[in-house]
Amino acid sequence: MSQHLLIFPIILPLVAGLLLLWQRQGAVLVKRVVGISATTLLVIVGIAMVITADDDTIRYYALGNWQPPFGIILVLDRLSAIMVLTTALLALASVIYASAGQDEEGSNFHGLFQLQLMGINGAFMTGDLFNLFVFFEVLLIASYALLMHGGGKGRTQAGVHYVVLNVAGSSLFLFGLGVLYGTLGSLNMADMAVRVQYLDATQAGLTLAGALLLLTVFMLKAAMLPMYFWLPRAYAAAPAAVAALFTVMTKVGIYAILRVFTLIFGEKANHLANISLPWLWWGGLATLVLAGIGVLSARDLRTQVCYMILISVGTLLIALGMHHESSIAALLYYTIHTTLITGGLFLLADVIDDQRGKAGARIVKSRPVLQPTRLGLLYFIGMISVIGLPPLSGAIGKALILLSAEASERAWLWPTLLISSLCGIVAAARAGSTVFWHTSAGEPSGTPMGKLRSIGVYSLIGSSIVLTVFAGPLTAYTQAAAEQLLSPERYIQSILIRDTEGDAL
Amino acid sequence: MTLLLIVLLPLLGTLVPLIGIRAGRTYCAWLTALLPAVALGITLYLAPLVFSGNVPQFFLPWIPQLDLHLALRLDGLSLLFVLLILGIGLLIILYARYYLSEQDSMGRFYAYLMLFMTSMLGIVTSNNLLLLWFFWELTSLSSFLLIGFWSHQSDARKGARMALTVTGAGGLSLLAGFLLLGQIVGTMDLSVVLQSGDQVRSSPYYLYALVLILLGAFTKSAQFPFQFWLPKAMAAPTPVSAYLHSATMVKAGVFLLARMFPVLAGTDLWFYFVALTGLVTLLYGAYFALLKQDLKGVLAFSTISHLGLITMLFGLNSPMAAVAGVFHIINHATFKASLFMAAGIVDHECGTRDIRKLNGLWRYMPYTTALATIAAASMAGVPLLNGFLSKEMFLSESLDAHMLGGLSWLIPALATLGSVLSAAYSLRFIHDVFFNGEPKNLPKKPHEPPRYMRLPIEILILLCIVVGLFPSSTVSGLLNAAVTAVVPAGYEPEIDLAIWHGFNLPLLMSAIALGGGILVYALRHYIYNFHRQFRSQDPNVIFEASTQAIVRVAQQAIDRFENGSLQRYMFWLLLTALGFSAYGLIESPRLSGNLPAQSIDWAVAVGAGMLCLSGLATVFFHRRRLISLIMLSVVGMLVSLAFARFSAPDLALTQLAVEVVTMILLMLALFFLPQKTPKESSGRRIMRDVLLAGAFGGVVASLNYAVLTRPLQSISSFFLENSVPGGGGHNVVNVILVDFRGFDTLGEITVLGIAGLAIFKLLNRLKLFMPSSDMEGRPWSPERFPAILASMAQSLLPLALLVSVFIFLRGHNLPGGGFIAGLVAAATLILLYMARGVEWAQQRLDFQFQPIAVAGVLIATLTGLGSWVFGYPFLTSAFGHFHIPLIGDVELATALLFDLGVYLTVVGATLMILANLGKVTTPHRPSKEKR
């Protein structure tokens, strides 16, 4: 079975999802058990992949046994392994949280959840650009369905914006793909990377257009300014367990940029070398500024988390734009951190909402929450972590990114990033002291967190502590992943080895 | 390892009170004190080692990528601070036991306090710049919790927020400074950094690093203009104030100055920034301390003033001044902690801290009065007490500062002025509170506090006196050890801690200070009257107002930017895409490639013209939905004709089938839209949109043209060559779909299946308005299901299904395949639905569509998994020729099974969408279903 390891992250949730969807009705308990077990297995698969990828070999899996560059392949390197494991961990916590009752607010939750995972994992694993598009579609439609879970006006409205913008993005993806296939004549990423090196100068402009169209789509997915608009409302409206899983979706955009614009349009891309960098750098800075303002403006804990996500998006884009090995290593560490923590914060906001009666998650004076100490502590730790204050993983991630800047980049990066952190501090101090301290008389309402929800919230927010303690080995791993990414020839050789034996291009 | 325990034990101690509180309050206090006491013991055990010039270190690797390690050191400076933090901390624990009331959660209080203690210990023992920063920010965070401890008070909340914001901001600046410093030196290792003073000072980044680090130190130490948070932090319980503002929090700032002294000091910039800031703060704090009516307010401003004094000493760039600075840190910690605790006793026993009400307390609490008087005398710099010694060193050092050239005389003059004010507010603190008549309207009748509440003060006062009387035999060892860590090796000054230096200028200045202080106090009412003309502003109010203003501005900006208009969001997306693709085209030398254009016959020309026109018409008639929809279907039809014309029969068939299904579904969807279209956009808007759409269309057309006129060197020849030998099919398109790129198809049918489920979820609980008439008010026909259509649809059904099976089966070799066949079957069933109505059809087609769609994807997946059995990767196909009796030779391929999955999914998902949309019109609205 181990030779099929690479397809497990896709097949496992697919089969589990289909089984779960067989009957719309059906025993809830069974669905929960299947959903949680499948996700647990996914975590194990993720761990296996991370360990497998650590021997520095890049493996591929040729679907239908059609060898690259002709067939579709899945590729396992350190980057895809990290992303799959992060997704699996986040998903496990989310699905456990959802099993406390949120899954029952609408139909087909667990099945759709698994298919969403299939889409996300597929995007991380694939080595084929059109296949990436397909998985973008899978995760988009599944996320739309999940966003609608439970229904309601707010979700429907946010959902329309979400789906329309993203479907438009899909069309642009196809435009870009069409142009690139027209000039490069291949869809296999490794093959495209080779072909772009020998690209005729007269084709360069057209290929650039195609590449930048792809970049637009990935920026939209990553929620960069000015294409982030779909994010705040949709994420704030989504059911907590879904919103938590969604935190990895912006990272799919980041991942796609990282993959495509290091492998195909990276250093060695001749006329098109590193074309994305200035856009990412300035776009990231602009996003960071906007997100800083956004965090201050948030009237609701969920919205606040949304802008915290945007802060992380800006930070990640900047790191992408810097493109040093150290900054890529830093951004990978930061990605794991921000995905898990913001996911945990969405869950926490939901628990708080549940215990505050009419005030919900709004940042207003209201009756106290039922479990002030527990929730207060979780909020405190979560905020420290997400803002990037010591001693937790956010600080490590941000310090790594700050440190990776070169002298000329510091002048822009440092003040922007640090001031956005300050905005975070101000906003979190206001929100936290209002929600937990500025309470009116009145009996707390709602239900205590319960076992399943506690597992979800504690594990995600607590992950920050794990990420901190094991920051040494983790950063070593991300450093190795960054090295791998910045030597695309290794990727190409692993996949197109036959081409070195004379198969002319 | 022992060194680690000094930090680790108090950290563990954070948990002790949370558990210990179950044993009762007194036990809780004792248990809490246990671990820091052990840590203190360890420190004392290590002290001789430090005195003998060693620096015990601890190193545990942590994050090599960041050069951040658990590296600790205990040099003289660290030792001094560790002793202060632990020693005074223990006294505070004792004091707090009696100070906290029954309502206060003692476990939580001690837990916060221990966390704070840990972070302070971490700051002073760190041997790594980033580790130091970690602990630095941790003090800001834990002090936030401590200051906000009485969270029901608005002042506490605001004070906590303000302290966190100011010190947190400083901390971020410090991070930048440290990162810069680390990059200058090439390591975050403090031992190395401390040796690299010359390298740092000559670096071009010195100025930036200096300013950033100083911002961190100044915010923490409440130096002007960041002093405002400190008085407001007095909303904390008094033990917290006593701890934070004597030995810890604010001392972290001056500790940093001392720590960085060997690295950053010695330049003119250092003097200007540090000494002058310190001087201004000294005077500012002293002046306001004189004016405050709140007992803790007086102490708060006096703390600011003394911190200014210490800062100024470090700024003077002389080793001796640094010694004086370190010495004053000790002295200030002792007398200020005792003064705060005394103030806390007064507050606790009298119920107020208002100086105007508190008078003549010596009658009620003579013992406390005596203790407070000694502490205040030390603060004022009265001889024979420790405060006098360091203050005189300060005055003497101020005389040696010549950096201001001809104006250098100002420094000692202003230093003396500061001392005068200091003496005056000390006198006021004692005279106004403990003497000067009788108390007025006190909420409680004052009396002496419990015995053990006074004990911490007594210990500290004892220290003040002993150090004051016998400085050389008590503190000189510690001071010497500390100074070796601050002053560069070889520059250690001869420390002479004598009380009596003979008649000299500093002594005169001291005398002036004391005499002047009495005079100023006597004339204080003139100052009050003078100051009354200034409106006093509460920093809390200003801070809150400005934060709220910032939040408001942010909200307005965001609300205006994210105005909820999808059109705007789309505009930005398209504009970006347009800009990018146009940029690519501009970079192209020319649009067309080498391929000659195909000749255009009249059919193509007419078709293209109609395509354009119907596209335009779709937009033009967008307010008349039906026409617009028909125009859209014309577009689709022409596209499928185009496919057929340019030899893509599969695509043509697919497009045709998709077109039919889409149109019907769209009509159903449009039925539910509100009857009235919203008002037309403004002219400007339309202009904008037309321009954008036109430009985008132009760019996309150009891209198309450019691609199509260039020769394609692609991998497609492989598919043509291998379709029959490798895939067993003559229809390459179908072989690509089900074999070469079957994985894509698997993904796409999954999408289709999910889409069906998504529609169901979307409609669930959606309350839709069901129109009973059309736009002009004509009611819908009562005869909803025309008989001819119904009978036709019914008779057509078996035939159409047969066609779909036919198309499906031939797909692998001739145009057709599962996707098209599925759509044909779906279209037929849709026709039946339309002709007979949902209810009728639902009753007769009594099966769920969800399992059909799911089964489709599952079949496709299982087909793929089947290849595992034969040791091949997922989706590997197999085919062969079989002889079946009666039918003859038949080629069977696993791809057919896969295609069956596609077929079922298409049928299931399409009908799921249709049935659910249709069901909305029936009594079986999904909104009525539970799940």
Side-chain angles (χ1 to χ4, degrees), chain B residues 619-839:
Chain B
V619 179
F620 187 77
F621 290 111
H622 71 278
R623 296 173 70 81
R624 305 177 67 178
R625 285 175 212 153
L626 203 58
I627 298 179
S628 189
L629 197 61
I630 291 169
M631 288 299 135
L632 191 62
S633 73
V634 174
V635 173
M637 216 49 74
L638 283 163
V639 169
S640 57
L641 283 177
F643 284 144
R645 166 72 179 75
F646 296 106
S647 41
D650 277 276
L651 294 189
L653 270 176
T654 314
Q655 178 68 29
L656 205 63
V658 164
E659 202 59 39
V660 171
V661 175
T662 317
M663 282 306 137
I664 295 169
L665 292 182
L666 267 178
M667 269 199 282
L668 245 177
L670 287 181
F671 173 71
F672 293 106
L673 282 190
Q675 294 288 302
K676 293 218 168 64
T677 324
K679 70 172 168 43
E680 196 64 80
S681 313
S682 66
R684 269 174 63 186
R685 191 83 174 265
I686 292 178
M687 186 60 96
R688 180 196 80 175
D689 293 349
V690 165
L691 280 177
L692 181 67
F696 197 68
V699 165
V700 171
S702 308
L703 284 176
N704 254 321
Y705 186 78
V707 169
L708 290 177
T709 52
R710 282 167 165 76
L712 179 65
Q713 294 165 326
S714 77
I715 53 172
S716 50
S717 56
F718 173 87
F719 299 126
L720 292 172
E721 286 158 17
N722 285 280
S723 177
V724 177
H730 290 277
N731 179 358
V732 184
V733 174
N734 184 265
V735 176
I736 289 178
L737 281 180
V738 297
D739 197 341
F740 292 123
R741 299 191 68 92
F743 196 54
D744 279 343
T745 310
L746 181 64
E748 288 298 356
I749 57 174
T750 312
V751 170
L752 201 55
I754 302 172
L757 300 171
I759 299 277
F760 179 77
K761 283 186 102 66
L762 177 67
L763 296 176
N764 200 11
R765 293 187 202 168
L766 193 65
K767 287 197 185 69
L768 286 174
F769 168 73
M770 246 201 300
S772 55
S773 61
D774 74 352
M775 252 181 289
E776 276 97 46
R778 291 171 298 197
W780 294 105
S781 158
E783 196 202 353
R784 289 167 69 191
F785 311 115
I788 302 176
L789 182 63
S791 55
M792 253 180 65
Q794 250 173 292
S795 51
L796 208 60
L797 182 69
L799 202 64
L801 288 179
L802 206 63
V803 168
S804 100
V805 171
F806 171 69
I807 291 180
F808 168 72
L809 284 176
R810 70 180 218 149
H812 215 44
N813 292 311
L814 292 164
F819 194 72
I820 304 169
L823 283 171
V824 169
T828 322
L829 291 170
I830 289 172
L831 189 66
L832 193 68
Y833 266 79
M834 286 201 306
R836 282 300 195 163
V838 174
E839 273 176 276

Side-chain angles (χ1 to χ4, degrees), chain A residues 1 4 7 10-11 14-15 18 21-22 24-25 61-66 69-70 72 74 104-108 112 115 128 130-131 133-135 137-138 141-142 144-145 148-150 161 164-165 168 172 175 179 181-182 184-185 187 191 195 202-203 205-206 208-209 212-213 216 225-229 232-233 279 290 293-294 296-297 299 307 380 384 389-391 396 399-400 402-403 407 410 414 418 421-422 425-426 429-430 433 437-438 468-469 471-472 475-476 479, chain B residues 62-66 133-134 137-138 141 144-145 148 151 157 160-161 164-165 168-169 172 175-176 179-180 183 188 205 544 547-548 550-551 554-555 557-559 561-564 566 569-570 572-573 576-577 580-581 583-585 587-589 696 700 703 706-707 710-716 718-719 722 726-727 739-741 743-744 746-748 750-751 754-755 757-758 760-762 765-766 848 850-851 854-855 857-858 861 865 868 872-876 912 929 931:
Chain A
M1 289 306 250
H4 299 300
I7 201 169
I10 298 165
I11 286 299
L14 175 62
V15 172
L18 292 173
L21 288 172
W22 188 261
R24 185 177 300 154
Q25 275 82 24
Y61 186 84
L63 288 148
N65 212 14
W66 297 109
F70 306 109
I72 298 171
L74 303 175
E104 283 295 280
E105 287 166 16
S107 57
N108 292 328
L112 289 168
L115 293 183
D128 184 284
F130 187 83
N131 196 234
F133 166 78
V134 171
F135 280 113
E137 293 301 286
V138 176
I141 192 80
Y144 180 62
M148 289 296 120
H149 182 73
H161 288 192
V164 169
L165 284 168
L172 295 175
F175 290 174
V179 173
Y181 188 72
L184 298 178
L187 293 168
D191 196 26
R195 286 164 182 255
T202 54
Q203 305 277 70
L206 199 52
L208 177 67
L212 289 180
L213 275 172
T216 315
L225 190 79
M227 290 167 288
Y228 75 100
F229 295 102
R233 284 187 201 202
W279 308 108
L290 171 109
I293 299 170
L296 286 174
S297 80
R299 298 176 174 93
Y307 287 105
F380 192 64
I384 288 176
L389 289 177
I396 298 171
L400 281 167
L402 289 171
L403 202 58
R410 277 183 214 142
W414 287 16
L418 292 174
S421 299
L422 184 62
I425 295 177
V426 173
R430 277 178 64 79
S433 63
W437 287 354
H438 198 190
T468 308
V469 174
T475 48
Q479 181 76 36
Chain B
W62 185 11
I63 312 174
Q65 315 289 339
L66 199 55
W133 175 69
F134 264 50
E137 288 289 49
L138 209 51
L141 291 167
F144 172 76
L145 297 174
S151 57
R157 291 194 301 267
R161 281 208 294 264
L164 179 65
T165 307
L172 293 173
L175 170 64
L179 287 177
L180 209 50
Q183 288 192 335
M188 296 287 172
Y205 297 115
E544 268 307 295
T547 322
Q548 273 169 16
I550 290 170
V551 168
Q555 283 174 346
I558 291 290
D559 290 347
F561 194 49
E562 296 172 21
N563 61 353
L566 183 58
Y569 304 167
M570 282 297 284
W572 282 109
L573 173 62
T576 313
F580 273 163
S581 40
Y583 169 55
L585 284 173
E587 293 283 299
S588 290
F696 197 68
V700 171
L703 284 176
V707 169
R710 282 167 165 76
L712 179 65
Q713 294 165 326
S714 77
I715 53 172
S716 50
F718 173 87
F719 299 126
N722 285 280
D739 197 341
F740 292 123
R741 299 191 68 92
F743 196 54
D744 279 343
L746 181 64
E748 288 298 356
T750 312
V751 170
I754 302 172
L757 300 171
F760 179 77
K761 283 186 102 66
L762 177 67
R765 293 187 202 168
L766 193 65
Q848 292 278 319
Q850 183 170 332
V854 170
V857 187
L858 203 56
T861 311
L865 286 174
W868 285 9
Y872 286 106
F874 186 70
L875 278 177
T876 307
M912 197 161 28
E929 286 182 31
R931 276 190 279 132

